[in-house]
Amino acid sequence: LCLLFAIWVKCESSGSVLFAQTRIGYHGKPFRMLKFRTMFEDQCDDQASPISRDDPRVTKAGKLLRSTSLDELPQLWNVLLGEMSLVGPRPEMPFIVEAYSAVNRLRLDAKPGITGLWQVSEARHAPIHENVDYDLYYIENQSFFLDAVICVLTGLAVLRIRR
């Protein structure tokens, strides 16, 4: 599946198949988080994320990958490297973490995840750093059962395909 997406991204636009961005992980340690590139290469930087399906920076492949969250698949490599886990708080960019309050910094007490409680909630339409309660609840109540529920809800969300 990853190979097919990589070929599609490469055929549709020039540049790298993967997009790597510095994020802040466990205990504030920076790492390079991977995603399939969903925007034209000259548009990939630390700008605001597209909020519209009609954003001209997003490629055709990118629209599908984003709407299904399949652009996140390369983060399995980050999991294998031990930089991320499947479930946990989403890692943020350094400039956002620099502005964290003491409460928001508590998010760094857990390994970041590909998916999390916030991602499967209705609050996912607001910025992550404005919904710290979801991450703090997860950190305080981490368990195999909670991880399993979040993974199932993530799978259902991917199958539902957001527009």
Side-chain angles (χ1 to χ4, degrees):
L1 193 58
C2 285
L3 181 59
L4 290 174
F5 290 146
I7 292 168
W8 188 17
V9 168
K10 190 67 175 172
C11 287
E12 186 177 20
S13 63
S14 63
S16 174
V17 167
L18 297 177
F19 172 69
Q21 188 177 56
T22 299
R23 296 292 179 107
I24 304 300
Y26 188 51
H27 292 308
K29 182 179 176 186
F31 70 98
R32 300 291 286 170
M33 187 178 78
L34 302 174
K35 288 184 168 196
F36 280 118
R37 184 174 51 80
T38 59
M39 299 191 325
F40 293 99
E41 189 168 62
D42 62 340
Q43 300 293 313
C44 295
D45 56 18
D46 290 342
Q47 296 180 34
S49 295
I51 56 172
S52 164
R53 281 187 56 83
D54 299 324
D55 190 310
R57 299 176 295 166
V58 179
T59 65
K60 289 177 186 168
K63 287 179 185 178
L64 175 76
L65 291 171
R66 282 174 178 260
S67 69
T68 58
S69 297
L70 292 171
D71 60 323
E72 312 282 348
L73 279 176
Q75 290 167 32
L76 292 172
W77 183 249
N78 293 112
V79 171
L80 289 173
L81 292 175
E83 299 164 329
M84 293 179 72
S85 64
L86 291 177
V87 180
R90 285 298 290 170
E92 285 278 21
M93 292 179 274
F95 74 92
I96 293 174
V97 173
E98 287 172 11
Y100 270 4
S101 67
V103 171
N104 277 329
R105 290 199 75 74
L106 295 173
R107 294 178 73 243
L108 303 175
D109 289 346
K111 194 176 281 193
I114 296 174
T115 189
L117 192 55
W118 172 81
Q119 286 85 343
V120 298
S121 73
E122 288 301 316
R124 81 171 315 278
H125 302 292
I128 299 170
H129 54 277
E130 291 180 10
N131 288 287
V132 70
D133 292 343
Y134 289 92
D135 290 334
L136 296 181
Y137 178 87
Y138 173 78
I139 292 167
E140 292 170 6
N141 296 282
Q142 264 182 295
S143 68
F144 176 78
F145 179 74
L146 182 57
D147 284 2
V149 168
I150 291 170
C151 286
V152 167
L153 291 173
T154 299
L156 292 173
V158 167
L159 293 174
R160 204 173 12 226
I161 302 178
R162 296 174 303 278
R163 298 194 192 280

